[in-house]
Amino acid sequence: MSYDVEALRAQFPILAETGRNGQPLVYLDNAASTQRPLAVLDAVDHYERHAHANVHRAVHVLSQRATEAYEAGRAQLAAFLNAPSPDEVVFTRGTTEALNLVAYAWGGMLAPGDEVVLTALEHHSNIVPWQLVAARTGAVIRVVPIHDDGSLDLDAYDRLLGPRTKIVSVGHTSNALGTVNPVAEMAARAHAVGAILVVDGAQGAPHAPIDVQALGADFFALSGHKMYGPTGIGALWGRMELLERMPPWQGGGDMIETVRFEGSTWAAPPARFEAGTPYIAGAVGIGAAARFLMDVGRDAVSAHEARLLARATAGLQSLDGVRILGTAPHKAAVLSFVVDGLHPTDVGTFLDEDGIAVRTGHHCAQPLMERLGVEATARASFGLYNTEAEVDRFLTSMAKIVRLFR
Ligand code: PLP
């Protein structure tokens, strides 16, 4: 069956909004946050109207409905990730919280001199939590450098790995450059030295099928709002064997087995890591988003976005004074660029005048910007509902900007 982008667009009411100056909106800021389809809006609405109560603790009918809806969201995410069990999926506020959880709780078991390997591509949320844990434990952070095209230097990675390496934490896909990292290969090499591999999957989950078992990952973090679900909800998937060995990171209701003033014992995962009343509607929404993406077909989404990326890349390359940052052979639909003589913020503002939404800035990747010798870039990022006609409008606008303002 061919990919029916218009039928998909019809499922996203917000795409009917107009952009600046009454122009049809072209939304190319998907790496920051995607829009939500009716499947998600309706699932959340239905939950709020018909099923809300607190989860897990009551015998009454609404609490049972809420618990079923919450746990169904977990099961959908487990299917989405091909996780062996829903019990391996811990709900969090998003990728940031998921990475903080694993850094705090697993990373808290590091000893002085143990090494955590990150890469030069990482988002701040896969850097700062490890710096916090390094300061607490005396662990040391090592960084895999990149080649000029934005791909990882895997020879350098090999040289960094050793008996002191305990954790490798890597982004599946770079939000700033679109580079898709060879996570499965990196996991195998990390395991060979006895380290675990954590994946920041924020940008992987929306663009490609994810199979945590095939990746050989030990932990995988994701955000609902980057995969067509709500904000404020995400998850940390972890291998059960590791989750069982990991201490809690927040205390409170729901995460305990018994509580005495002399001391408490912990519930089994995932409850151990979900203290307090969770974001139940968010779990419903992220579950619906996972189901939606599985129904559309993630291979089809990948292929569609690859066509958009190729068209946009070729178009930008033909414009004088425009430089694309990130030209790795394996990329997702993220296109970062700079224009000679123009600040990225101005490029974003001019595009917005034409109804085109892109992001400008350091993309929460300041070390990467420094490595690339820029302060900021403009970034167009594509989603499953973008069209070739939208890419062409973006390119026409860019051609005008280059002609008039450079
Ligand atoms: N990691 C990557 C690669 C991202 O792109 C982002 C968000 O931009 C995050 C982590 C943080 O995600 P959140 O803000 O949803 O926690």
Side-chain angles (χ1 to χ4, degrees):
M1 205 183 73
S2 69
Y3 189 84
D4 189 346
V5 71
E6 291 305 328
L8 286 169
R9 290 178 70 79
Q11 297 182 46
F12 288 82
I14 203 169
L15 296 180
E17 293 294 308
T18 42
R20 187 92 57 196
N21 302 324
Q23 309 258 12
L25 176 70
V26 176
Y27 186 75
L28 302 181
D29 195 18
N30 294 286
S33 202
T34 45
Q35 303 297 347
R36 298 77 184 267
L38 289 170
V40 171
L41 300 176
D42 290 348
V44 172
D45 185 68
H46 184 272
Y47 165 76
E48 296 286 14
R49 288 170 190 268
H50 302 289
H52 173 67
N54 210 335
V55 288
H56 294 155
R57 283 184 287 257
V59 293
H60 66 76
V61 64
L62 284 184
S63 179
Q64 282 179 1
R65 272 187 215 161
T67 303
E68 274 162 28
Y70 182 66
E71 293 303 329
R74 196 191 306 279
Q76 303 273 38
L77 260 192
F80 179 83
L81 295 168
N82 193 31
S85 160
D87 289 343
E88 295 184 340
V89 175
V90 177
F91 281 121
T92 64
R93 281 195 297 125
T95 303
T96 302
E97 190 172 77
L99 291 170
N100 274 278
L101 193 178
V102 69
Y104 185 92
W106 190 269
M109 300 189 283
L110 292 168
D114 283 351
E115 292 180 359
V116 178
V117 173
L118 309 176
T119 87
L121 290 169
E122 299 315 312
H123 187 279
H124 297 163
S125 63
N126 197 26
I127 300 173
V128 183
W130 300 110
Q131 291 176 329
L132 294 175
V133 78
R136 228 170 79 218
T137 60
V140 176
I141 290 173
R142 314 287 303 270
V143 182
V144 184
I146 53 169
H147 298 296
D148 289 340
D149 68 356
S151 59
L152 289 179
D153 180 343
L154 292 177
D155 293 333
Y157 175 55
D158 277 340
R159 288 193 297 275
L160 284 177
L161 292 174
R164 314 213 80 160
T165 316
K166 295 294 181 275
I167 299 171
V168 176
S169 192
V170 59
H172 181 285
T173 297
S174 158
N175 65 307
L177 301 185
T179 311
V180 178
N181 292 317
V183 171
E185 205 178 316
M186 293 178 78
R189 296 187 199 181
H191 291 156
V193 297
I196 63 156
L197 186 105
V198 179
V199 184
D200 168 353
Q203 299 292 341
H207 294 299
I210 300 292
D211 180 337
V212 288
Q213 299 184 66
L215 285 178
D218 295 291
F219 291 97
F220 189 100
L222 55 76
S223 292
H225 71 104
K226 295 192 194 282
M227 50 175 275
Y228 309 97
T231 51
I233 186 77
L236 178 71
W237 168 82
R239 281 201 296 120
M240 184 48 79
E241 185 201 336
L242 302 189
L243 291 176
E244 278 171 344
R245 283 162 56 196
M246 192 158 82
W249 78 311
Q250 289 177 342
D254 260 6
M255 51 72 70
I256 49 81
E257 187 183 52
T258 60
V259 177
R260 304 251 162 1
F261 278 108
E262 297 70 34
S264 302
T265 58
W266 317 135
R272 182 185 302 168
F273 307 106
E274 293 182 359
T277 301
Y279 180 21
I280 309 165
V284 171
I286 198 175
R291 183 73 265 152
F292 171 79
L293 269 169
M294 288 188 281
D295 289 347
V296 174
R298 287 172 285 171
D299 282 319
V301 170
S302 276
H304 174 71
E305 291 177 350
R307 282 191 295 273
L308 299 180
L309 180 68
R311 193 178 183 94
T313 303
L316 273 194
Q317 274 168 343
S318 73
L319 296 179
D320 270 350
V322 177
R323 185 160 61 94
I324 295 173
L325 291 104
T327 51
H330 195 186
K331 275 186 68 172
V334 172
L335 190 54
S336 249
F337 57 94
V338 289
V339 181
D340 284 350
L342 274 183
H343 194 277
T345 311
D346 294 333
V347 175
T349 306
F350 291 138
L351 284 168
D352 184 52
E353 288 292 316
D354 284 346
I356 299 161
V358 300
R359 186 145 297 245
T360 58
H362 54 59
H363 314 295
C364 295
Q366 285 182 355
L368 176 62
M369 296 292 119
E370 202 179 329
R371 160 65 177 83
L372 297 172
V374 294
E375 249 177 57
T377 74
R379 180 188 71 184
S381 53
F382 305 95
L384 61 82
Y385 37 59
N386 290 123
T387 66
E388 296 194 349
E390 289 183 315
V391 171
D392 293 346
R393 270 193 57 206
F394 162 69
L395 291 172
T396 304
S397 187
M398 280 302 301
K400 186 176 82 181
I401 291 165
V402 166
R403 199 174 58 244
L404 294 181
F405 301 111
R406 240 188 90 227

